[in-house]
Amino acid sequence: MSTTVEKLWAATQALPEPLLAEVLDFAEFVRLKHQKQQAAQPHASLTCQPAVSLADLQGGLEASATFAGDAVALQRQLRDEWQ
């Protein structure tokens, strides 16, 4: 049976660089989300708020290779992909 790391390695072998950048962005997002949850955990019993708020999820991609560059050009590219 393959480990998760082996499965991830196999799944990414055929991906082109832009898609690998998206996988990396997502992995970094998950890592940061987990860190924030761990940091908030001791205080979770003191509040009635969810462990992760929408504000905790904002940002994080502005420095990624996938979303670097001109925002208008990126919007245009995304729009053109759906047409």
Side-chain angles (χ1 to χ4, degrees), residues 55-70:
D56 291 335
L57 301 176
Q58 75 185 22
L61 294 178
E62 58 272 352
S64 73
T66 303
F67 295 103
D70 180 39

Side-chain angles (χ1 to χ4, degrees), residues 23-41 51-64:
V23 171
L24 178 59
D25 287 341
F26 182 71
E28 290 173 349
F29 163 77
V30 170
R31 181 181 56 79
L32 289 173
K33 179 179 148 187
H34 181 71
Q35 284 178 345
K36 287 180 181 181
Q37 286 176 341
Q38 294 294 359
Q41 196 129 26
V52 177
S53 70
L54 186 57
D56 291 335
L57 301 176
Q58 75 185 22
L61 294 178
E62 58 272 352
S64 73

